[in-house]
Amino acid sequence: MKKKDPNYVVKVEQAKAKKYGEETVQHPKANWTDDKEREYVQQLRDLYKRSNEADQEHVELNGVFISNKLLMKETKRSCPVCNTYSFKSNDDVYMSKFKCCEKCYIQWVEGREERWLKGWRPNE
C-alpha cells in the first residue's frame, strides 16, 4: 500500500496558483475591507427597499387587498373555439401559437396549420 503524501494539499494549491494565479488560492476575506462591507450593505438595503416598494402596491377588490402584480397578469385559460377551461400546460403552448386548446388543435388545426393561421375556424 502506498504512503499518503502529507504535503499533497500544499502541492495542489501551488499548482493551482502557478496555473491560474495567486488569487485562486487566497482566502475569500483576504481582500475584503470595511469600505467594501459598507458598499455591500448599502446595496442590500437598496435592493430590499426596491422589492418592498413593489410589494406594497395593493388594490382593494371586493373588500380584499390584492397585489397589483396579480392584477396585471392576463391569462386566457378558456379556448375560444370550444369554450372549455383548462389548467394544462400543453394548452398554453397551443393557445399562444394557434389561439386554441390542445384538443381543438388535434381536431381542427393539425395538418391544416396554414389555413388556420389565415383565419379559418370551424362552424360549430
Coordinates of all heavy atoms in Angstrom, one line a residue, residues 30-113:
A30 N -9.5 37.8 2.2 CA -8.2 38.4 2.2 C -8.2 39.9 1.7 O -7.5 40.7 2.2 CB -7.3 37.6 1.3
N31 N -9.1 40.1 0.6 CA -9.1 41.5 0.1 C -10.4 42.3 0.5 O -10.7 43.3 -0.1 CB -9.1 41.4 -1.5 CG -7.8 40.8 -2.0 OD1 -6.7 41.1 -1.4 ND2 -7.8 40.0 -3.0
W32 N -11.1 41.8 1.5 CA -12.3 42.4 2.0 C -12.0 43.5 2.9 O -11.2 43.3 3.9 CB -13.2 41.4 2.6 CG -14.6 41.8 2.8 CD1 -15.2 42.2 3.9 CD2 -15.6 41.9 1.7 NE1 -16.5 42.5 3.7 CE2 -16.8 42.3 2.3 CE3 -15.6 41.7 0.4 CZ2 -18.0 42.6 1.6 CZ3 -16.7 41.9 -0.3 CH2 -17.9 42.3 0.3
T33 N -12.5 44.7 2.7 CA -12.2 45.9 3.5 C -13.5 46.4 4.1 O -14.6 46.0 3.7 CB -11.5 47.0 2.7 OG1 -12.4 47.4 1.7 CG2 -10.2 46.5 2.1
D34 N -13.4 47.3 5.1 CA -14.6 47.9 5.7 C -15.4 48.7 4.6 O -16.6 48.8 4.7 CB -14.2 48.8 6.9 CG -13.7 48.0 8.0 OD1 -14.0 46.8 8.1 OD2 -13.0 48.6 8.9
D35 N -14.7 49.4 3.7 CA -15.4 50.1 2.7 C -16.2 49.2 1.8 O -17.3 49.5 1.4 CB -14.3 50.9 1.8 CG -13.7 52.0 2.6 OD1 -14.3 52.5 3.6 OD2 -12.5 52.4 2.2
K36 N -15.6 48.1 1.4 CA -16.4 47.1 0.6 C -17.6 46.6 1.4 O -18.6 46.4 0.8 CB -15.5 45.9 0.2 CG -14.5 46.3 -0.9 CD -13.7 45.1 -1.3 CE -12.7 45.5 -2.4 NZ -11.9 44.3 -2.8
E37 N -17.4 46.4 2.7 CA -18.5 45.9 3.5 C -19.6 46.9 3.5 O -20.8 46.6 3.4 CB -18.0 45.6 4.9 CG -19.1 45.1 5.9 CD -19.5 43.7 5.6 OE1 -18.7 43.0 5.0 OE2 -20.6 43.4 6.0
R38 N -19.3 48.2 3.7 CA -20.3 49.3 3.8 C -21.1 49.4 2.4 O -22.3 49.5 2.4 CB -19.7 50.6 4.1 CG -19.4 50.8 5.6 CD -19.1 52.2 6.0 NE -17.7 52.5 5.6 CZ -16.6 52.2 6.3 NH1 -16.7 51.6 7.4 NH2 -15.4 52.6 5.8
E39 N -20.3 49.3 1.3 CA -20.9 49.3 0.0 C -21.9 48.2 -0.2 O -23.0 48.3 -0.8 CB -19.8 49.3 -1.1 CG -20.3 49.4 -2.5 CD -19.2 49.4 -3.5 OE1 -18.0 49.6 -3.1 OE2 -19.5 49.2 -4.7
Y40 N -21.4 47.0 0.2 CA -22.3 45.8 0.1 C -23.5 45.9 0.9 O -24.6 45.6 0.4 CB -21.5 44.6 0.5 CG -22.3 43.3 0.5 CD1 -22.7 42.7 -0.7 CD2 -22.6 42.7 1.7 CE1 -23.4 41.5 -0.6 CE2 -23.4 41.5 1.7 CZ -23.7 40.9 0.6 OH -24.5 39.8 0.6
V41 N -23.4 46.4 2.1 CA -24.6 46.5 2.9 C -25.6 47.6 2.3 O -26.8 47.4 2.4 CB -24.2 46.9 4.4 CG1 -25.4 47.3 5.2 CG2 -23.5 45.7 5.0
Q42 N -25.0 48.6 1.8 CA -25.9 49.7 1.1 C -26.6 49.1 -0.1 O -27.8 49.4 -0.3 CB -25.0 50.9 0.7 CG -25.8 52.0 0.2 CD -26.8 52.6 1.2 OE1 -26.5 52.7 2.4 NE2 -28.0 52.9 0.7
Q43 N -25.9 48.3 -0.8 CA -26.6 47.6 -2.0 C -27.7 46.7 -1.6 O -28.8 46.7 -2.2 CB -25.5 46.8 -2.8 CG -24.6 47.7 -3.6 CD -23.5 46.9 -4.2 OE1 -23.4 45.6 -4.1 NE2 -22.6 47.5 -5.0
L44 N -27.5 46.0 -0.5 CA -28.5 45.1 0.1 C -29.8 45.9 0.5 O -30.9 45.6 0.3 CB -28.0 44.3 1.2 CG -27.2 43.1 0.9 CD1 -26.7 42.5 2.2 CD2 -27.9 42.1 0.1
R45 N -29.5 47.1 1.2 CA -30.6 47.9 1.6 C -31.4 48.5 0.4 O -32.6 48.5 0.5 CB -30.1 49.1 2.5 CG -29.6 48.7 3.8 CD -29.2 49.9 4.6 NE -28.6 49.5 5.9 CZ -27.6 50.0 6.5 NH1 -26.9 51.1 5.9 NH2 -27.2 49.6 7.7
D46 N -30.7 48.9 -0.6 CA -31.4 49.4 -1.8 C -32.2 48.4 -2.5 O -33.3 48.6 -2.9 CB -30.3 50.0 -2.8 CG -29.6 51.2 -2.3 OD1 -30.1 51.9 -1.3 OD2 -28.6 51.6 -2.8
L47 N -31.7 47.2 -2.6 CA -32.4 46.1 -3.2 C -33.6 45.7 -2.4 O -34.7 45.6 -2.9 CB -31.5 44.8 -3.3 CG -32.1 43.6 -3.9 CD1 -32.4 43.8 -5.3 CD2 -31.2 42.4 -3.7
Y48 N -33.5 45.7 -1.0 CA -34.6 45.4 -0.2 C -35.7 46.5 -0.3 O -36.9 46.2 -0.3 CB -34.2 45.2 1.3 CG -35.2 44.9 2.2 CD1 -35.8 43.6 2.2 CD2 -35.7 45.8 3.1 CE1 -36.8 43.3 3.1 CE2 -36.7 45.5 4.0 CZ -37.3 44.2 4.0 OH -38.3 43.9 4.9
K49 N -35.3 47.7 -0.3 CA -36.2 48.8 -0.4 C -37.0 48.8 -1.7 O -38.2 49.0 -1.7 CB -35.4 50.1 -0.3 CG -36.3 51.4 -0.3 CD -35.4 52.6 -0.1 CE -36.3 53.9 -0.1 NZ -35.4 55.1 0.0
R50 N -36.3 48.5 -2.8 CA -37.0 48.4 -4.1 C -38.0 47.3 -4.1 O -39.1 47.4 -4.7 CB -36.0 48.2 -5.3 CG -35.4 49.6 -5.7 CD -34.6 49.4 -7.0 NE -33.2 49.2 -6.5 CZ -32.3 48.3 -6.9 NH1 -32.6 47.5 -7.8 NH2 -31.1 48.2 -6.3
S51 N -37.6 46.1 -3.6 CA -38.5 45.0 -3.6 C -39.8 45.3 -2.7 O -40.9 44.9 -3.0 CB -37.8 43.7 -3.2 OG -37.5 43.8 -1.8
N52 N -39.6 46.0 -1.6 CA -40.7 46.3 -0.7 C -41.6 47.3 -1.3 O -42.8 47.2 -1.1 CB -40.2 46.8 0.6 CG -39.9 45.7 1.6 OD1 -40.3 44.6 1.4 ND2 -39.2 46.0 2.7
E53 N -41.1 48.3 -2.1 CA -41.9 49.3 -2.7 C -42.9 48.6 -3.7 O -44.0 48.9 -3.8 CB -41.1 50.3 -3.4 CG -40.4 51.3 -2.4 CD -39.4 52.2 -3.1 OE1 -39.2 52.1 -4.3 OE2 -38.9 53.0 -2.4
A54 N -42.4 47.6 -4.4 CA -43.2 46.9 -5.4 C -44.2 46.1 -4.7 O -45.4 45.9 -5.2 CB -42.3 46.1 -6.3
D55 N -43.9 45.5 -3.6 CA -44.9 44.6 -2.9 C -46.0 45.4 -2.2 O -47.0 44.9 -2.0 CB -44.1 43.8 -1.8 CG -43.3 42.7 -2.4 OD1 -43.5 42.4 -3.6 OD2 -42.4 42.2 -1.7
Q56 N -45.7 46.7 -1.9 CA -46.7 47.5 -1.2 C -47.8 48.1 -2.0 O -48.7 48.7 -1.5 CB -46.0 48.6 -0.4 CG -45.2 48.0 0.8 CD -44.4 49.1 1.5 OE1 -44.4 50.3 1.1 NE2 -43.7 48.7 2.5
E57 N -47.7 47.9 -3.3 CA -48.7 48.4 -4.2 C -49.9 47.4 -4.3 O -49.9 46.4 -4.9 CB -48.2 48.6 -5.6 CG -47.1 49.6 -5.7 CD -46.4 49.7 -7.0 OE1 -46.9 49.0 -8.0 OE2 -45.4 50.4 -7.1
H58 N -51.0 47.7 -3.5 CA -52.1 46.8 -3.4 C -53.4 47.6 -3.8 O -53.4 48.8 -3.6 CB -52.3 46.3 -2.0 CG -51.2 45.3 -1.6 ND1 -50.0 45.7 -1.2 CD2 -51.2 44.0 -1.6 CE1 -49.3 44.6 -0.9 NE2 -50.0 43.6 -1.2
V59 N -54.3 46.9 -4.3 CA -55.6 47.5 -4.7 C -56.7 46.7 -4.0 O -56.7 45.5 -3.8 CB -55.8 47.3 -6.2 CG1 -57.2 47.8 -6.6 CG2 -54.7 48.1 -7.0
E60 N -57.7 47.5 -3.5 CA -58.8 46.8 -2.8 C -59.8 46.3 -3.9 O -60.3 47.0 -4.8 CB -59.6 47.8 -1.9 CG -60.6 47.1 -1.1 CD -61.3 48.0 -0.1 OE1 -60.8 49.2 0.1 OE2 -62.3 47.6 0.4
L61 N -60.1 45.0 -3.8 CA -61.1 44.4 -4.8 C -62.1 43.6 -4.0 O -61.7 42.6 -3.4 CB -60.3 43.5 -5.8 CG -61.1 42.9 -6.9 CD1 -61.6 44.0 -7.8 CD2 -60.2 42.0 -7.7
N62 N -63.3 44.0 -4.0 CA -64.4 43.3 -3.2 C -64.0 43.1 -1.7 O -64.2 42.1 -1.1 CB -64.6 41.9 -3.8 CG -65.2 42.0 -5.2 OD1 -65.8 43.0 -5.6 ND2 -64.9 41.0 -6.0
G63 N -63.4 44.1 -1.1 CA -63.1 44.1 0.3 C -61.8 43.4 0.6 O -61.5 43.2 1.8
V64 N -61.0 43.0 -0.4 CA -59.8 42.3 -0.1 C -58.7 43.0 -0.9 O -58.8 43.5 -2.0 CB -59.9 40.8 -0.7 CG1 -58.5 40.1 -0.5 CG2 -61.0 40.1 0.0
F65 N -57.5 43.2 -0.2 CA -56.4 43.9 -0.8 C -55.6 42.8 -1.6 O -55.2 41.8 -1.1 CB -55.5 44.5 0.2 CG -56.1 45.8 0.8 CD1 -56.7 45.8 2.0 CD2 -56.0 47.0 0.1 CE1 -57.2 47.0 2.6 CE2 -56.6 48.1 0.6 CZ -57.2 48.1 1.8
I66 N -55.4 43.2 -2.9 CA -54.7 42.3 -3.8 C -53.5 43.0 -4.4 O -53.6 44.2 -4.8 CB -55.6 41.8 -4.9 CG1 -56.8 41.0 -4.3 CG2 -54.9 40.9 -5.9 CD1 -57.8 40.6 -5.3
S67 N -52.4 42.4 -4.6 CA -51.2 43.0 -5.1 C -51.4 43.3 -6.6 O -52.1 42.6 -7.3 CB -50.0 42.0 -5.1 OG -48.9 42.5 -5.8
N68 N -50.9 44.5 -7.0 CA -51.0 44.9 -8.4 C -50.4 43.9 -9.4 O -50.8 43.7 -10.5 CB -50.3 46.2 -8.6 CG -51.3 47.4 -8.4 OD1 -52.5 47.2 -8.4 ND2 -50.8 48.6 -8.3
K69 N -49.4 43.2 -8.9 CA -48.7 42.2 -9.8 C -49.7 41.1 -10.2 O -49.6 40.6 -11.3 CB -47.5 41.5 -9.0 CG -46.4 42.5 -8.8 CD -45.3 41.7 -8.1 CE -44.1 42.6 -7.8 NZ -43.0 41.9 -7.1
L70 N -50.6 40.7 -9.3 CA -51.6 39.7 -9.6 C -52.6 40.2 -10.6 O -53.1 39.5 -11.5 CB -52.2 39.2 -8.4 CG -51.4 38.4 -7.4 CD1 -52.1 38.1 -6.1 CD2 -50.8 37.2 -8.0
L71 N -52.9 41.5 -10.5 CA -53.9 42.0 -11.4 C -53.4 42.3 -12.8 O -54.2 42.4 -13.7 CB -54.5 43.3 -10.8 CG -55.3 43.1 -9.5 CD1 -55.7 44.5 -8.9 CD2 -56.5 42.3 -9.7
M72 N -52.1 42.5 -12.9 CA -51.5 42.8 -14.2 C -51.5 41.6 -15.1 O -51.4 41.7 -16.3 CB -50.1 43.4 -14.0 CG -50.0 44.7 -13.3 SD -50.9 45.9 -14.2 CE -50.8 47.3 -13.1
K73 N -51.4 40.4 -14.5 CA -51.3 39.2 -15.3 C -52.7 38.9 -16.0 O -53.7 38.8 -15.3 CB -50.9 38.0 -14.5 CG -49.5 38.1 -13.9 CD -49.2 36.9 -13.1 CE -47.8 37.1 -12.5 NZ -47.5 36.0 -11.6
E74 N -52.6 38.8 -17.3 CA -53.8 38.4 -18.0 C -53.6 37.0 -18.6 O -52.7 36.9 -19.5 CB -54.2 39.4 -19.1 CG -54.9 40.6 -18.6 CD -55.4 41.4 -19.7 OE1 -55.8 40.8 -20.8 OE2 -55.4 42.6 -19.6
T75 N -54.2 36.0 -18.2 CA -54.1 34.7 -18.7 C -55.4 34.3 -19.3 O -56.5 34.4 -18.7 CB -53.6 33.7 -17.7 OG1 -54.6 33.7 -16.6 CG2 -52.3 34.0 -17.2
K76 N -55.4 33.8 -20.5 CA -56.6 33.3 -21.1 C -56.6 31.8 -21.0 O -55.9 31.1 -21.7 CB -56.7 33.8 -22.6 CG -56.8 35.3 -22.7 CD -56.9 35.8 -24.1 CE -57.0 37.3 -24.1 NZ -57.1 37.8 -25.4
R77 N -57.4 31.3 -20.2 CA -57.4 29.9 -19.9 C -58.5 29.2 -20.6 O -58.6 27.9 -20.6 CB -57.5 29.6 -18.4 CG -56.5 30.2 -17.5 CD -55.1 29.8 -17.8 NE -55.0 28.3 -17.7 CZ -53.9 27.7 -17.8 NH1 -52.8 28.4 -18.1 NH2 -53.8 26.4 -17.8
S78 N -59.5 29.9 -21.2 CA -60.6 29.2 -21.9 C -60.3 29.3 -23.4 O -59.9 30.3 -23.9 CB -61.9 29.8 -21.5 OG -61.9 31.2 -21.8
C79 N -60.6 28.2 -24.1 CA -60.4 28.1 -25.5 C -61.5 28.9 -26.3 O -62.7 28.6 -26.0 CB -60.4 26.6 -25.9 SG -60.3 26.3 -27.7
P80 N -61.1 29.7 -27.2 CA -62.2 30.5 -27.9 C -63.0 29.6 -28.9 O -64.0 30.0 -29.3 CB -61.4 31.6 -28.7 CG -60.0 31.2 -28.6 CD -59.8 30.2 -27.5
V81 N -62.4 28.4 -29.2 CA -63.1 27.6 -30.2 C -64.2 26.7 -29.5 O -65.3 26.7 -29.9 CB -62.1 26.7 -30.9 CG1 -62.8 25.7 -31.9 CG2 -61.1 27.5 -31.7
C82 N -63.8 26.0 -28.4 CA -64.7 25.1 -27.8 C -65.2 25.6 -26.4 O -66.0 25.0 -25.8 CB -64.1 23.7 -27.6 SG -62.6 23.7 -26.5
N83 N -64.7 26.7 -26.0 CA -65.1 27.4 -24.7 C -64.8 26.5 -23.5 O -65.5 26.7 -22.5 CB -66.5 27.8 -24.7 CG -66.7 28.9 -25.7 OD1 -65.9 29.8 -25.9 ND2 -67.9 28.9 -26.4
T84 N -63.9 25.6 -23.5 CA -63.5 24.8 -22.3 C -62.4 25.5 -21.5 O -61.6 26.2 -22.1 CB -63.1 23.4 -22.7 OG1 -61.9 23.5 -23.5 CG2 -64.2 22.6 -23.3
Y85 N -62.4 25.4 -20.2 CA -61.5 26.0 -19.4 C -60.4 24.9 -19.0 O -60.8 23.8 -18.6 CB -62.2 26.5 -18.1 CG -61.3 27.4 -17.3 CD1 -61.1 28.7 -17.6 CD2 -60.6 26.9 -16.2 CE1 -60.4 29.6 -16.8 CE2 -59.8 27.7 -15.4 CZ -59.7 29.1 -15.7 OH -58.9 29.9 -15.0
S86 N -59.1 25.3 -19.1 CA -58.1 24.3 -18.9 C -56.9 24.8 -18.1 O -56.6 26.0 -18.2 CB -57.6 23.8 -20.2 OG -56.5 23.0 -20.1
F87 N -56.4 23.9 -17.3 CA -55.2 24.3 -16.5 C -53.9 23.6 -17.0 O -52.9 23.7 -16.5 CB -55.3 23.8 -15.0 CG -56.2 24.7 -14.2 CD1 -57.5 24.3 -13.9 CD2 -55.8 26.0 -13.9 CE1 -58.3 25.1 -13.2 CE2 -56.7 26.8 -13.1 CZ -57.9 26.4 -12.8
K88 N -54.1 22.8 -18.1 CA -52.9 22.1 -18.7 C -51.9 23.0 -19.3 O -52.2 23.9 -20.0 CB -53.4 21.1 -19.7 CG -54.3 19.9 -19.2 CD -54.4 18.9 -20.2 CE -55.8 18.9 -20.7 NZ -56.0 18.0 -21.8
S89 N -50.6 22.6 -19.0 CA -49.5 23.4 -19.6 C -49.4 23.2 -21.1 O -49.0 24.1 -21.8 CB -48.2 23.0 -18.9 OG -47.9 21.7 -19.1
N90 N -49.8 22.1 -21.6 CA -49.8 21.9 -23.1 C -50.7 22.9 -23.8 O -50.4 23.3 -24.9 CB -50.3 20.4 -23.4 CG -49.3 19.4 -23.1 OD1 -48.2 19.7 -22.7 ND2 -49.7 18.1 -23.2
D91 N -51.9 23.2 -23.1 CA -52.8 24.1 -23.7 C -52.2 25.5 -23.9 O -52.5 26.2 -24.8 CB -54.1 24.2 -22.9 CG -54.9 22.9 -23.1 OD1 -54.7 22.2 -24.1 OD2 -55.8 22.7 -22.2
D92 N -51.3 25.9 -23.0 CA -50.6 27.2 -23.0 C -49.8 27.3 -24.3 O -49.8 28.3 -25.0 CB -49.7 27.4 -21.9 CG -50.4 27.5 -20.5 OD1 -51.6 27.9 -20.6 OD2 -49.8 27.3 -19.5
V93 N -49.2 26.2 -24.7 CA -48.4 26.2 -26.0 C -49.3 26.5 -27.2 O -49.0 27.3 -28.0 CB -47.6 24.9 -26.1 CG1 -46.9 24.9 -27.4 CG2 -46.6 24.7 -25.0
Y94 N -50.3 25.7 -27.3 CA -51.2 25.8 -28.4 C -52.0 27.1 -28.4 O -52.3 27.7 -29.4 CB -52.2 24.6 -28.5 CG -51.5 23.3 -28.7 CD1 -51.4 22.4 -27.7 CD2 -50.9 23.1 -29.9 CE1 -50.7 21.2 -27.9 CE2 -50.2 21.9 -30.1 CZ -50.1 20.9 -29.1 OH -49.5 19.8 -29.3
M95 N -52.3 27.6 -27.2 CA -53.1 28.9 -27.0 C -52.2 30.0 -27.5 O -52.7 30.9 -28.2 CB -53.5 29.1 -25.6 CG -54.5 30.1 -25.4 SD -56.1 29.7 -26.0 CE -56.7 28.6 -24.8
S96 N -50.9 30.0 -27.3 CA -50.1 31.1 -27.7 C -49.8 31.1 -29.2 O -49.7 32.2 -29.8 CB -48.7 31.1 -26.9 OG -48.0 29.9 -27.3
K97 N -49.8 29.9 -29.8 CA -49.5 29.9 -31.2 C -50.7 29.9 -32.1 O -50.8 30.5 -33.1 CB -48.6 28.7 -31.5 CG -48.1 28.7 -32.9 CD -47.0 27.7 -33.2 CE -46.5 27.8 -34.6 NZ -45.4 26.9 -34.9
F98 N -51.7 29.1 -31.7 CA -52.9 28.9 -32.6 C -54.2 29.4 -32.0 O -55.2 29.3 -32.6 CB -53.0 27.4 -32.9 CG -51.9 26.8 -33.7 CD1 -50.9 26.0 -33.0 CD2 -51.7 27.1 -35.0 CE1 -49.9 25.5 -33.7 CE2 -50.6 26.5 -35.7 CZ -49.7 25.7 -35.1
K99 N -54.1 30.0 -30.8 CA -55.3 30.5 -30.2 C -56.4 29.4 -30.0 O -57.6 29.7 -30.2 CB -55.9 31.7 -30.9 CG -54.9 32.8 -31.2 CD -54.5 33.6 -30.0 CE -53.7 34.8 -30.4 NZ -52.3 34.6 -30.2
C100 N -56.0 28.2 -29.6 CA -56.9 27.2 -29.3 C -56.3 26.2 -28.3 O -55.1 26.2 -28.1 CB -57.4 26.4 -30.5 SG -56.1 25.5 -31.3
C101 N -57.1 25.3 -27.7 CA -56.5 24.3 -26.8 C -55.9 23.1 -27.5 O -56.0 23.1 -28.8 CB -57.6 23.8 -25.8 SG -59.0 22.9 -26.6
E102 N -55.3 22.2 -26.8 CA -54.7 21.1 -27.4 C -55.7 20.2 -28.1 O -55.5 19.7 -29.2 CB -53.9 20.3 -26.4 CG -53.2 19.1 -26.9 CD -52.5 18.3 -25.9 OE1 -52.8 18.4 -24.7 OE2 -51.6 17.5 -26.2
K103 N -56.9 20.0 -27.5 CA -57.9 19.2 -28.1 C -58.4 19.7 -29.4 O -58.5 19.0 -30.4 CB -59.1 19.1 -27.1 CG -60.2 18.2 -27.6 CD -61.3 18.2 -26.5 CE -62.6 18.1 -27.1 NZ -63.7 18.4 -26.2
C104 N -58.6 21.0 -29.5 CA -59.0 21.7 -30.7 C -57.9 21.7 -31.8 O -58.2 21.5 -33.0 CB -59.5 23.1 -30.5 SG -61.0 23.2 -29.6
Y105 N -56.7 21.8 -31.3 CA -55.5 21.7 -32.2 C -55.5 20.4 -32.9 O -55.4 20.3 -34.2 CB -54.2 21.9 -31.5 CG -53.0 21.7 -32.4 CD1 -52.6 22.7 -33.3 CD2 -52.4 20.5 -32.4 CE1 -51.5 22.4 -34.2 CE2 -51.3 20.2 -33.2 CZ -50.9 21.2 -34.1 OH -49.9 21.0 -35.0
I106 N -55.7 19.3 -32.1 CA -55.7 18.0 -32.7 C -56.8 17.8 -33.7 O -56.7 17.2 -34.8 CB -55.7 16.9 -31.6 CG1 -54.3 17.0 -30.9 CG2 -55.9 15.5 -32.2 CD1 -54.3 16.1 -29.6
Q107 N -58.0 18.2 -33.3 CA -59.2 18.0 -34.1 C -59.3 18.9 -35.3 O -59.6 18.5 -36.4 CB -60.5 18.2 -33.2 CG -61.7 17.9 -33.9 CD -62.9 18.0 -33.0 OE1 -62.8 18.4 -31.9 NE2 -64.1 17.7 -33.6
W108 N -58.9 20.2 -35.2 CA -59.2 21.1 -36.3 C -57.9 21.7 -37.0 O -58.0 22.0 -38.1 CB -59.9 22.4 -35.8 CG -61.2 22.0 -35.1 CD1 -61.5 22.0 -33.8 CD2 -62.4 21.6 -35.8 NE1 -62.8 21.6 -33.6 CE2 -63.4 21.3 -34.8 CE3 -62.8 21.3 -37.1 CZ2 -64.7 20.9 -35.1 CZ3 -64.0 20.9 -37.4 CH2 -65.0 20.7 -36.4
V109 N -56.8 21.8 -36.2 CA -55.6 22.5 -36.8 C -54.6 21.6 -37.4 O -54.0 21.9 -38.4 CB -55.0 23.4 -35.7 CG1 -53.8 24.2 -36.3 CG2 -56.0 24.3 -35.1
E110 N -54.3 20.5 -36.7 CA -53.2 19.6 -37.1 C -53.3 19.2 -38.6 O -54.4 18.6 -39.0 CB -53.2 18.3 -36.2 CG -52.0 17.5 -36.3 CD -51.9 16.5 -35.3 OE1 -53.0 15.9 -34.9 OE2 -50.8 16.2 -34.8
G111 N -52.3 19.5 -39.3 CA -52.3 19.2 -40.8 C -52.9 20.3 -41.6 O -52.8 20.3 -42.8
R112 N -53.5 21.3 -41.0 CA -54.1 22.4 -41.7 C -53.6 23.8 -41.1 O -54.4 24.7 -41.0 CB -55.6 22.4 -41.6 CG -56.3 21.1 -42.0 CD -57.8 21.1 -41.7 NE -58.3 19.8 -41.6 CZ -58.8 19.3 -40.5 NH1 -58.8 19.9 -39.4 NH2 -59.2 18.0 -40.5
E113 N -52.4 23.8 -40.6 CA -51.9 25.0 -39.9 C -52.0 26.3 -40.7 O -52.3 27.3 -40.2 CB -50.4 24.8 -39.5 CG -50.3 23.8 -38.3 CD -50.1 22.4 -38.7 OE1 -50.2 22.1 -39.9 OE2 -50.0 21.5 -37.8

